Amino acid sequence: MRKRAVSAALRAGVNSRTPLLVTLVFTFLVSTLVGISGGIQTATARDVLRADGTQRIVISSLDSKGTFGPLDDERMELIRSVPGVEYAVADYPSAIRTPVGTGMPRLSLATHSWGSYVSPPITGGSVAEGVLPGQVVLPARSQGVDFTRYLGRTLNFGYSDKIPAPPVSEAGIEEVADDPRPLRTDSAVIELEVIATYDHRWHADGPQTAYLAPVTAARLAAANEGKTVSQLRETSNAERVGVLVDESHEPRAVASRLREMGLGAFRMPLREQKMIATVHTWRYIALGGLLGGAALFGVFTARRNGSRERVEHRTTTAAAVALAGAVPATALGIPGALVLRAPLEEFLGLRIDHWMLLPSPVWVLLGILLPALAAAAGVVGERASGRFRRG
């Protein structure tokens, strides 16, 4: 009896190959997508939603995002006047580099204003008081340099200066008046104290980013454009504006009000939420494919055996074959998600640990049992429809 059941199961797998393979492929996809969605959710909750992330709004300068007109000083005053806005930080990106003669490898870091985006996960030092003028937050490692060694130290960084008379200090940048002579690009030096380092796998602003006090970032950007800080803020378009909403107001309502003003304003977690929703959608599509394929496999099993076997035996046969295939397919989905960890980190700019990609036990059981249950249901359904047709 047992040998006959095994033989029947093997015949079912061979003769109903297509729906069985469809079932196993979708079982693998369900297991993989469950791990991916769990990893994204965990990383987002840890690195985006923490530290007031849910109360933050970002305003893009792009027309495609809904911003009409420049994000200049006048616009900034309007943004700060909106009820619920605790503070708003304009971001004027630039770059710093290690000067020759410091013993450090030559490297360049993009600069952004601290507070214009959700803060990265700090691995060393402290930013409890924010980033003050003359301070910098660096990635823990970048381009072969371990910046944790320089915590608490003041380093010389070079930057581009297109003002005719190069300033000798950070404060000197703003003191330079208009000059009728053609601008030339010089290399100036600024001293910055390394007060903290962040996880280098965080790269929402790019993989090599230094965070400065807003006034310092603006001064470097102004020097790079050959302007004073006042000229920069009055005539240049900020790349983005970071907005913190006070706890008594709903960020969704504040973002809506900003959009009514012609600003492309979005809550901070929006990108991650959209990606999580997309992964969930594909997961349920895969789940539907799993159930449909397994049910079709059960139908084919019932039709092939006809009336030679009892319905209970055909049901057991279909369920056994589906179960036997679902176990390795579900197991293979776990390393499938782990293989995608690095691309996910690269796309999100968030650190995703291996354990985050492990599916929950509930979904593992569902991935194993649902194909067997759907296959059995397919046999029973085909049997019932056959009786109805004969009746």
Side-chain angles (χ1 to χ4, degrees):
M1 179 67 69
R2 183 176 299 175
K3 289 183 178 180
R4 188 171 64 180
V6 172
S7 178
L10 291 174
R11 288 198 306 274
V14 172
N15 297 336
S16 305
R17 183 178 303 161
T18 299
L20 180 61
L21 287 177
V22 168
T23 302
L24 299 185
V25 168
F26 279 115
T27 303
F28 166 81
L29 289 176
V30 168
S31 179
T32 300
L33 290 170
V34 166
I36 290 174
S37 64
I40 297 173
Q41 285 178 306
T42 304
T44 300
R46 180 198 60 208
D47 290 341
V48 178
L49 302 184
R50 61 159 180 69
D52 299 324
T54 55
Q55 295 297 116
R56 290 182 180 269
I57 294 171
V58 64
I59 300 174
S60 171
S61 62
L62 300 176
D63 293 345
S64 60
K65 297 294 185 180
T67 296
F68 304 100
L71 295 175
D72 52 17
D73 239 7
E74 183 179 350
R75 210 69 176 278
M76 288 298 298
E77 290 301 317
L78 290 174
I79 292 170
R80 295 187 178 105
S81 68
V82 172
V85 173
E86 186 168 326
Y87 68 76
V89 176
D91 186 36
Y92 297 96
S94 186
I96 55 176
R97 57 188 177 274
T98 51
V100 178
T102 61
M104 297 175 68
R106 291 287 286 174
L107 61 88
S108 178
L109 296 167
T111 59
H112 288 278
S113 298
W114 184 265
S116 66
Y117 204 72
V118 66
S119 57
I122 300 300
T123 59
S126 174
V127 288
E129 299 181 1
V131 180
L132 304 178
Q135 297 179 336
V136 64
V137 178
L138 299 173
R141 293 195 301 275
S142 181
Q143 304 174 58
V145 177
D146 180 7
F147 282 112
T148 58
R149 298 168 48 195
Y150 301 98
L151 275 172
R153 292 175 56 182
T154 298
L155 302 178
N156 291 327
F157 290 93
Y159 64 94
S160 296
D161 179 13
K162 294 182 180 177
I163 297 177
V168 296
S169 66
E170 179 189 345
I173 299 175
E174 196 167 6
E175 297 171 0
V176 178
D178 294 336
D179 194 307
R181 294 174 295 171
L183 298 179
R184 68 176 187 273
T185 301
D186 290 335
S187 181
V189 175
I190 185 173
E191 293 184 347
L192 297 172
E193 179 190 1
V194 183
I195 62 166
T197 57
Y198 65 89
D199 192 324
H200 62 279
R201 287 173 290 185
W202 163 279
H203 50 266
D205 283 317
Q208 292 94 32
T209 298
Y211 291 97
L212 304 171
V215 64
T216 306
R219 285 171 176 170
L220 295 183
N224 187 54
E225 293 187 20
K227 300 177 179 178
T228 65
V229 173
S230 297
Q231 291 172 336
L232 178 78
R233 289 172 171 165
E234 290 172 1
T235 62
S236 297
N237 191 23
E239 183 175 274
R240 70 178 178 218
V241 176
V243 175
L244 181 66
V245 180
D246 64 48
E247 295 183 357
S248 63
H249 287 77
E250 169 59 41
R252 187 189 304 273
V254 176
S256 177
R257 176 70 184 95
L258 291 169
R259 286 194 292 272
E260 291 173 359
M261 297 165 57
L263 297 165
F266 302 94
R267 290 181 300 153
M268 283 300 308
L270 185 62
R271 182 177 74 114
E272 286 73 17
Q273 288 175 348
K274 285 185 175 179
M275 186 170 183
I276 292 170
T278 300
V279 175
H280 282 339
T281 299
W282 282 108
R283 181 178 66 185
Y284 288 114
I285 290 174
L287 186 61
L290 178 159
L291 294 173
L296 190 59
F297 170 69
V299 169
F300 281 10
T301 301
R303 288 180 177 177
R304 187 193 64 256
N305 292 337
S307 59
R308 291 175 297 163
E309 297 179 356
R310 296 173 56 190
V311 65
E312 293 85 356
H313 186 267
R314 279 177 278 169
T315 302
T316 303
T317 297
V321 173
L323 182 65
V327 171
T330 300
L332 287 173
I334 297 175
L338 295 175
V339 167
L340 295 173
R341 183 183 69 87
L344 279 175
E345 283 191 334
E346 185 69 24
F347 178 78
L348 286 175
L350 305 178
R351 189 185 85 244
I352 299 178
D353 296 319
H354 289 89
W355 63 268
M356 297 178 183
L357 297 169
L358 298 177
S360 68
V362 173
W363 274 103
V364 171
L365 287 175
L366 286 175
I368 293 173
L369 297 178
L370 284 179
L373 295 174
V379 174
V380 174
E382 174 62 18
R383 177 68 173 175
S385 64
R387 286 179 177 175
F388 177 78
R389 287 194 298 268
R390 287 196 300 271

